[in-house]
Amino acid sequence: MSFARLELRHAHGVTPVWIGAAVLDEVRSELDEIICGRRLFAITSRPLMTLHGGALERLGREASDCSVLEVPDGEQAKTVENAAELWSRLLVAGGKRDSLVVAFGGGSIGDLAGFVAGCFLRGIDVIQVPTTLLAQVDAAIGGKTAVNRPQAKNSVGVFHQPLAVVSDTRFLATLKPRQLRSGLFEVIKTGAILDVGLLDLLEATYEDVLAADPVALAPVVERTAAAKIRVVEEDPEEQDRRRLLNFGHTLGHALEMTAGNLEHGEAVGYGMLFAIDLALERGFSALEAERIRGLVRRLGLPLLPEDLNLQDVQGHLMRDKKARESGISWVLPTAPGRAGIFDDVSLDDVEARIASFVAAAC
Ligand SMILES: NC(=O)c1ccc[n+]([C@@H]2O[C@H](COP(=O)([O-])OP(=O)(O)OC[C@H]3O[C@@H](n4cnc5c(N)ncnc54)[C@H](O)[C@@H]3O)[C@@H](O)[C@H]2O)c1
Ligand SMILES: [Zn+2]
């Protein structure tokens, strides 16, 4: 078996990102060296312990002491209350500046655990061990952490780069098929705007990838993570280039909030299809457009609800003040593996298009 070692360079050093179909065993000695003799706090959830607790326990063996702290599963984990509870538990257990947090789970646990580590004693080390495809290709990379407030998702957080990211694709074999596919929409997104070779790779290995084969998934995770790393290195605090990663997310977010039956990735899938129509009118190649559409369609998209309220969809699109004042910026593909940010799409045009787009998807 072999694994990939990518590196993310940032203001505080270099984060290794290890990826492979058995990487957790293969980087054992590197991990032991980091963990050896330190107080380790593993943040995870009950379902993950049931499925993959053995791997987490092996990870903690070199620690001077290892506590497994379970938090509610999924998005429910990302609350200020859960963060506060964890800080108290760290203090009671004698957590110190050299203690180490391990985030063991999907993007929700990664975001919460990263936030907890980023604030505890003004910042202690965290190792991200992402267990979903979305977390391996996206959430665990880049140092963004956050919890939600009732008013807005991801509204409270800090940038806190992990000490290391370990993405073992064996974990992905237990994902629900819909969840794996949801992550694959983000992979297609990355290929479309940043790395056309990733689309070639997907086309060549789609069947095995869709069957969650860890060996087929490893290079897909590697290429997608590598593209994200390049963008984050160029734009660590999301000023400009990192905005490209929002391809498919403009309409995607609005649909995710209003349709009620879509996974995040599925909403992005719809968002990409919509954006591709806009791109075609701005010179994007019809052949390339069809290729992206084909990859999206093979993943399958649930129909939108017939009673979807178009006003709500538009309301979400126009939510932020900037959008209301100067229109919406769209990330659109311009050439294979390239994209740009466009401000020339009129709001009337968008409104008319959404109506027919949604009608076709019900
Ligand atoms: N920080 C970032 O840059 C960033 C980027 C993208 C998304 N996110 C965040 O990531 C979150 C979504 O993450 P997600 O899609 O990974 O979902 P998730 O973390 O909410 O997990 C979803 C479900 O998958 C289960 N699960 C996790 N690993 C599993 C495995 N190996 N086998 C079977 N089940 C498993 C979990 O128990 C949970 O029920 C959102 O909160 C989003 O805001 C953050
Ligand atoms: Zn996304």
Side-chain angles (χ1 to χ4, degrees):
M1 225 36 107
S2 65
F3 65 94
R5 183 189 204 277
L6 308 179
E7 288 185 340
L8 171 60
R9 278 158 219 287
H10 49 79
H12 307 285
V14 180
T15 297
V17 180
W18 292 304
I19 301 163
V23 71
L24 213 48
D25 301 329
E26 288 166 323
V27 297
R28 201 50 276 165
S29 55
E30 285 92 332
L31 283 171
D32 284 350
E33 212 168 288
I34 297 174
I35 292 169
C36 189
R38 294 171 80 170
R39 185 81 177 74
L40 192 145
F41 296 95
I43 299 178
T44 188
S45 68
R46 178 64 52 89
L48 273 155
M49 281 310 282
T50 309
L51 286 168
H52 300 295
L56 186 56
E57 273 154 26
R58 281 195 295 284
L59 198 65
R61 273 191 205 141
E62 290 293 317
S64 65
D65 202 347
C66 174
S67 313
V68 175
L69 308 176
E70 286 181 9
V71 294
D73 192 47
E75 195 69 33
Q76 314 267 6
K78 290 175 54 173
T79 67
V80 180
E81 291 76 15
N82 287 335
E85 168 78 24
L86 289 167
W87 288 319
S88 292
R89 291 184 68 178
L90 262 60
L91 287 168
V92 168
K96 301 223 165 50
R97 290 241 41 182
D98 67 347
S99 299
L100 179 64
V101 168
V102 169
F104 189 74
S108 298
I109 290 205
D111 275 7
L112 171 73
F115 177 64
V116 164
C119 298
F120 187 70
L121 304 178
R122 299 194 185 81
I124 62 170
D125 288 339
V126 58
I127 298 179
Q128 292 281 350
V129 184
T131 61
T132 64
L133 180 59
L134 180 90
Q136 294 191 352
V137 300
D138 188 357
I141 295 167
K144 277 207 291 177
T145 76
V147 292
N148 303 328
R149 292 303 294 151
Q151 295 76 11
K153 204 169 127 67
N154 294 329
S155 47
V156 181
V158 293
F159 279 97
H160 185 56
Q161 292 292 350
L163 196 60
V165 180
V166 194
S167 292
D168 195 315
T169 52
R170 284 174 300 184
F171 293 133
L172 309 182
T174 54
L175 289 175
K176 294 198 178 93
R178 191 172 174 196
Q179 215 180 359
L180 179 78
R181 285 166 190 261
S182 188
L184 284 168
F185 287 107
E186 300 275 2
V187 173
I188 296 172
K189 171 202 82 175
T190 306
I193 56 169
L194 293 168
D195 176 10
V196 72
L198 183 53
L199 301 182
D200 299 333
L201 177 66
L202 266 189
E203 282 176 338
T205 59
Y206 226 14
E207 231 172 272
D208 293 334
V209 165
L210 288 170
D213 173 7
V215 175
L217 278 161
V220 171
V221 172
E222 180 190 338
R223 274 193 99 118
T224 315
K228 172 137 190 203
I229 288 172
R230 284 197 300 275
V231 172
V232 172
E233 282 183 343
E234 284 168 28
D235 182 14
E237 298 202 344
E238 204 154 320
Q239 309 289 322
D240 177 35
R241 212 172 141 64
R242 208 155 157 174
R243 284 167 64 205
L244 285 185
L245 296 169
N246 286 336
F247 172 47
H249 283 63
T250 309
L251 182 65
H253 273 147
L255 288 176
E256 187 179 3
M257 302 309 291
T258 48
N261 67 335
L262 299 180
E263 293 284 328
H264 172 74
E266 293 165 347
V268 172
Y270 271 123
M272 288 192 285
L273 293 178
F274 185 80
I276 283 170
D277 288 344
L278 296 173
L280 278 168
E281 287 171 11
R282 286 161 183 76
F284 186 52
S285 119
L287 208 64
E288 202 53 29
E290 207 35 56
R291 177 157 125 106
I292 301 170
R293 285 180 178 142
L295 284 163
V296 167
R297 290 204 191 99
R298 264 179 79 182
L299 293 180
L301 285 169
L303 293 178
L304 296 175
E306 274 175 32
D307 58 355
L308 181 68
N309 185 327
L310 291 183
Q311 247 103 50
D312 282 356
V313 177
Q314 266 141 24
H316 273 280
L317 271 179
M318 307 302 290
R319 208 175 27 178
D320 70 82
K321 186 158 166 283
K322 197 167 145 270
R324 282 199 302 275
E325 279 167 6
S326 59
I328 308 165
S329 297
W330 293 84
V331 179
L332 304 178
T334 50
R338 293 276 171 79
I341 294 170
F342 292 76
D343 297 315
D344 66 336
V345 188
S346 86
L347 294 177
D348 291 344
D349 186 19
V350 169
E351 206 165 305
R353 278 162 187 280
I354 287 178
S356 54
F357 182 81
V358 167
C362 286

